[in-house]
Amino acid sequence: MIVDCAVYRKGRRTEAPDDFSAALATARASGDAFLWVGVHEPTADEFDLVRDAFGLHPLAVEDALRAHQRPKLEVYDDSLFVVLKPVVYEPEGDVVTTGELMLFIGDGFVVTVRHGAGAPLAAVRRRLEDDPKVLAHGPTAVLYAVSDAVVDDYIEVAGELQLDLEELETEVFSPGGDGGSGRPTAARIYRFKRQLLEFRRASGPLVAPMSRLAGSGVPFVHERSRPFFRDVEDHLTRANEQVEALDRLLSDILAAHLAQQGVRQNDDMRKISAWAAMAAVPTMVAGIYGMNFHHMPELRWVGGYPTVLVLMAVVVWGLHRLFKRRGWL
């Protein structure tokens, strides 16, 4: 679906003709204007109009329609194709979801294709329209603004994950935080690790495209924009480093949690062994005198029964004191 289409002349929005080819011709004829077309989850028939009007490469068009692409930068004869993956954090379910955002940059035009909900295009367009000086730099300004918004969201989501990880760390190291079973906390740790993996799939591959844009020799990108893309690259590096640190810390938390479970199990086994040892003494004595042989000592002794009971109680009490002193009970 075509969600927006406008010609920007000297950073000011003007209405564009309904025909894309005519609108592009108008923008190019002006010399200081460009056409920005926004598309959301287009069908093949809808995007055929865009492809024919702007002469987009078939491989890039296929990627834009199918989505599920890694972040990348590809250079074609008549356009530049950039894929970004915005991330959205849902605090209710502690879930990180990714969208997909493609940009076609060419001579006098920008085409943005959005898949999913995690794409900040509407806010970016409004912000650029409020700052005509930036928008006057043409398609490069749009590419920079969109990239900067996506990476800023990375930093914000990484901060939210940091807060959640601190809560998880407190839960793991609190006494009896999960009732000693280990299942709820371990499951949450693994779910958290899946969210970090989803985040890294979006942010990690974007390093190479941002590095190329911050360098020289990329067509359709203004040379004076290189410092701005370096700034985006620095922010992206910071976000990636923060997520890598979270991943390492999460692995340490998981290892500590499993170690705690092992210690708890060892304590439980020692307690069970201690009680079993105390139960073994009276069981052994009662078992011996329950064999019902005719010729056994003390069978006809009047004080034998109370003496044996007292002896078993004393032995069990002694074992209890011993295990208590050693910390087994």
Side-chain angles (χ1 to χ4, degrees), residues 4-224:
D4 204 348
C5 178
V7 173
Y8 294 89
R9 181 175 290 107
K10 295 182 179 180
R12 301 290 180 179
R13 181 185 178 112
T14 61
E15 292 305 319
D18 294 335
D19 182 74
F20 292 146
S21 299
L24 181 59
T26 300
R28 287 176 174 174
S30 174
D32 58 355
F34 70 95
L35 175 64
W36 184 355
V37 178
V39 187
H40 179 235
E41 296 183 354
T43 64
D45 293 336
E46 289 174 340
F47 210 67
D48 283 343
L49 301 175
V50 178
R51 179 199 62 191
D52 296 338
F54 297 102
L56 304 179
H57 196 279
L59 293 178
V61 171
E62 181 182 358
D63 289 344
L65 289 174
R66 295 179 58 186
H68 304 295
Q69 304 295 316
R70 287 166 53 90
K72 61 181 178 179
L73 168 64
E74 293 181 349
V75 179
Y76 297 101
D77 294 336
D78 299 324
S79 63
L80 187 70
F81 181 58
V82 181
V83 178
L84 306 172
K85 292 186 75 69
V87 296
V88 175
Y89 180 69
E90 300 175 5
E92 294 81 8
D94 296 338
V95 176
V96 174
T97 59
T98 59
E100 204 148 336
L101 187 57
M102 291 88 164
L103 295 93
F104 294 88
I105 310 293
D107 181 18
F109 71 87
V110 178
V111 177
T112 53
V113 183
R114 180 167 62 93
H115 291 271
L121 285 184
V124 170
R125 189 185 285 262
R126 287 195 301 269
R127 188 164 63 249
L128 286 174
E129 289 178 352
D130 292 338
D131 193 354
K133 290 183 179 180
V134 176
L135 196 55
H137 290 85
T140 302
V142 177
L143 177 59
Y144 161 71
V146 172
S147 302
D148 186 57
V150 169
V151 173
D152 284 346
D153 285 345
Y154 287 170
I155 295 176
E156 183 178 348
V157 172
E160 294 287 344
L161 292 174
Q162 175 72 41
L163 294 177
D164 279 355
L165 185 58
E166 290 175 359
E167 294 178 2
L168 180 61
E169 186 177 16
T170 301
E171 177 184 333
V172 169
F173 292 105
S174 62
D178 56 3
S181 65
R183 292 179 182 177
T185 300
R188 188 177 176 190
I189 291 174
Y190 278 112
R191 284 198 303 269
F192 203 108
K193 207 166 184 64
R194 291 292 302 174
Q195 304 315 310
L196 291 181
L197 178 61
E198 186 73 15
F199 188 106
R200 295 177 71 176
R201 285 176 177 171
S203 64
L206 188 58
V207 173
M210 286 298 108
S211 180
R212 289 183 62 187
L213 291 171
S216 59
V218 180
F220 308 109
V221 176
H222 202 284
E223 286 293 326
R224 287 184 295 180

Side-chain angles (χ1 to χ4, degrees), residues 243-265:
V243 172
E244 289 176 4
L246 292 178
D247 189 48
R248 289 194 298 269
L249 180 58
L250 189 62
S251 298
D252 293 340
I253 291 175
L254 178 59
H257 176 67
L258 295 177
Q260 283 183 331
Q261 297 308 309
V263 171
R264 289 173 183 169
Q265 290 175 357

